[in-house]
Amino acid sequence: MTELRAEAVLLADIQNLITQAKQQASVAVNVALTMMYWQIGQRINQEVLQGERAAYGKQVVVTLAQQLANEFGKGFSEKQLRRIMKFAEVFPDAEIVATLWRQLSWSHFKLLISIKEPSAREFYAQMCASENWSVRTLHERIDSMLFERTALSKKPEELIKAELQQLAEQGRVTENLVLKDPYVLDFLELNDHYLEKDLEDAILRELEQFILELGAGFSFIARQKRIQLDGDDFYIDLLFYNRQLKRLVAIDLKLGKFKPHYKGQMELYLRWLDKYERQEGEQPPLGIILCAEKNQEQIELLEMDNAGIHVAEYLAVLPKREVLHQRLQQAISHAQEKYSNNKLK
């Protein structure tokens, strides 16, 4: 038995060594491949710019593709060369690319270079590296328009750049990166008519999916967290903790439109949590009010952000992508216009 156990241990050790070596080799190959593509793209772009003629540039790419494909195979087709050129164009900083290609594969970069908006592309690149998203996860996040749904996308361009730089250099995650509007809860598969308890029950049944939609760092603490004040009982629908923000997050679920008195209710919860539940080293608690509809003007007048309260809609049924895209772009434009007007005052 001792000899058999020793052989099993030996086999397991060797298997681990082989697996680790293969993983390290795969990472090394990916880094070398991505580096090569970026250098090729940069070199071709320089040549095309020197030519200063569109026809010249097009002919350079066609000729190169034919020559390289003959020698190195289909991996250097005209389409691939144009993708490589785009890669070097949208990621011009060698240092940033060198940091990212140690964490992202060429398949990640192929998805990233298809994103037209620079801020969105930088957001997905940094979040992907920070949270170790797979290519499939990155695709899902882009498809669900994650960036456009974050609080960050509603901020001015200089703040977006500053927060993404903090994420890249310090790994610092802010509220603006975590909070979303709307939250997509189509996975709950709710009927046309449901109560707040039905919504809460569905979230608890699909807790893993709900936490994924909330974002990284969330841990579930309690459902219907009881609060006692002056002999009266109050209940927080859902209570979470976010490790990255280092703060408790209270979530209140509402079926209809946002109503002003929801602010006072959430402020009561947050002050109680701050007094009785907040531990040393933690930030003040954060509140999220999830509503079926928002009244934007009321929310702005109530200055909810200053109270540490985030109001967001939830989508029980996901609309067509074009409809969602238009809606989110309008929200972003409105927020940025409001910021510009405030700056001029």
Side-chain angles (χ1 to χ4, degrees):
M1 288 294 290
T2 304
E3 290 179 356
L4 289 174
R5 190 177 296 112
E7 288 179 6
V9 171
L10 176 62
L11 176 61
D13 288 346
I14 293 173
Q15 288 172 331
N16 286 334
L17 288 170
I18 293 171
T19 301
Q20 289 173 10
K22 283 185 175 181
Q23 289 173 343
Q24 291 169 358
S26 177
V27 170
V29 168
N30 171 68
V31 169
L33 181 70
T34 308
M35 185 190 305
M36 177 190 70
Y37 283 152
W38 185 84
Q39 290 172 336
I40 290 172
Q42 188 186 50
R43 181 66 183 87
I44 297 173
N45 286 340
Q46 288 173 348
E47 180 66 25
V48 170
L49 285 173
Q50 286 173 3
E52 295 182 351
R53 284 184 292 120
Y56 169 78
K58 184 176 181 180
Q59 189 54 49
V60 166
V61 176
V62 171
T63 304
L64 265 178
Q66 292 172 346
Q67 294 170 333
L68 292 173
N70 287 338
E71 186 171 354
F72 299 106
K74 297 179 181 178
F76 291 93
S77 64
E78 181 184 347
K79 181 180 179 181
Q80 176 73 339
L81 285 187
R82 295 198 180 281
R83 182 183 288 131
I84 291 169
M85 291 167 65
K86 186 71 173 176
F87 174 38
E89 179 187 336
V90 300
F91 288 100
D93 191 315
E95 286 189 25
I96 291 175
V97 178
T99 301
L100 288 174
W101 67 37
R102 295 187 185 95
Q103 299 161 289
L104 309 182
S105 69
W106 172 239
S107 296
H108 286 103
F109 281 110
K110 283 195 292 184
L111 284 175
L112 291 171
I113 60 179
S114 67
I115 300 171
K116 295 180 181 179
E117 175 58 42
S119 294
R121 184 169 56 245
E122 181 66 13
F123 166 83
Y124 287 115
Q126 296 302 335
M127 290 295 288
C128 195
S130 174
E131 298 185 5
N132 297 314
W133 291 349
S134 65
V135 175
R136 179 179 177 180
T137 300
L138 173 60
H139 187 276
E140 289 172 350
R141 297 289 189 270
I142 295 171
D143 204 43
S144 72
M145 303 186 70
L146 176 62
F147 172 70
E148 290 83 354
R149 293 191 292 119
T150 62
L152 184 68
S153 69
K154 316 300 190 298
K155 303 300 178 182
E157 194 66 29
E158 57 266 30
L159 181 59
I160 294 176
K161 290 180 179 177
E163 294 207 9
L164 290 176
Q165 188 173 354
Q166 285 182 338
L167 178 63
E169 295 176 357
Q170 304 167 24
R172 183 169 178 265
V173 176
T174 64
E175 292 173 34
N176 291 325
L177 287 163
V178 172
L179 298 175
K180 304 183 184 72
D181 182 28
Y183 287 86
V184 177
L185 307 182
D186 58 325
F187 55 85
L188 298 179
E189 298 182 352
L190 293 163
N191 297 321
D192 292 339
H193 303 287
Y194 55 88
L195 304 173
E196 284 181 9
K197 185 180 182 301
D198 299 325
L199 175 59
E200 189 178 311
D201 288 342
I203 287 173
L204 268 294
R205 281 198 306 272
E206 301 293 339
L207 187 58
E208 183 178 356
Q209 284 288 336
F210 184 69
I211 288 176
L212 286 174
E213 174 59 15
L214 285 178
F218 278 91
S219 300
F220 176 67
I221 294 179
R223 171 190 191 178
Q224 291 296 310
K225 171 73 174 176
R226 185 184 179 193
I227 292 175
Q228 280 192 313
L229 290 168
D230 299 323
D232 293 328
D233 290 338
F234 301 88
Y235 297 89
I236 301 173
D237 289 338
L238 300 168
L239 185 62
F240 290 83
Y241 181 77
N242 188 282
R243 293 178 61 194
Q244 293 175 323
L245 298 178
K246 292 183 173 58
R247 63 201 307 177
L248 290 163
V249 181
I251 297 181
D252 215 5
L253 304 172
K254 303 296 182 184
L255 291 187
K257 285 186 177 181
F258 171 82
K259 294 180 175 58
H261 71 265
Y262 293 164
K263 179 187 178 185
Q265 185 180 26
M266 179 58 79
E267 282 180 325
L268 180 68
Y269 296 162
L270 296 182
R271 287 174 183 171
W272 188 91
L273 290 169
D274 190 62
K275 184 175 181 179
Y276 295 106
E277 296 287 333
R278 180 182 173 189
Q279 296 183 5
E280 187 177 350
E282 291 181 354
Q283 298 298 314
L286 178 72
I288 299 176
I289 301 174
L290 281 180
C291 305
E293 292 183 61
K294 286 171 56 178
N295 295 313
Q296 191 61 43
E297 190 173 358
Q298 291 181 20
I299 291 166
E300 289 174 4
L301 288 172
L302 288 168
E303 298 182 341
M304 305 290 279
D305 289 343
N306 295 339
I309 300 171
H310 176 66
V311 181
E313 292 181 350
Y314 64 86
L315 302 178
V317 177
L318 190 62
K320 289 184 178 179
R321 182 177 173 81
E322 307 83 59
V323 175
L324 181 59
H325 180 270
Q326 183 180 17
R327 178 175 163 183
L328 291 173
Q329 290 303 319
Q330 287 173 346
I332 291 170
S333 298
H334 172 79
Q336 293 178 343
E337 182 181 347
K338 179 174 175 289
Y339 173 81
S340 298
N341 291 337
N342 289 339
K343 201 173 181 182
L344 292 172
K345 290 180 181 178

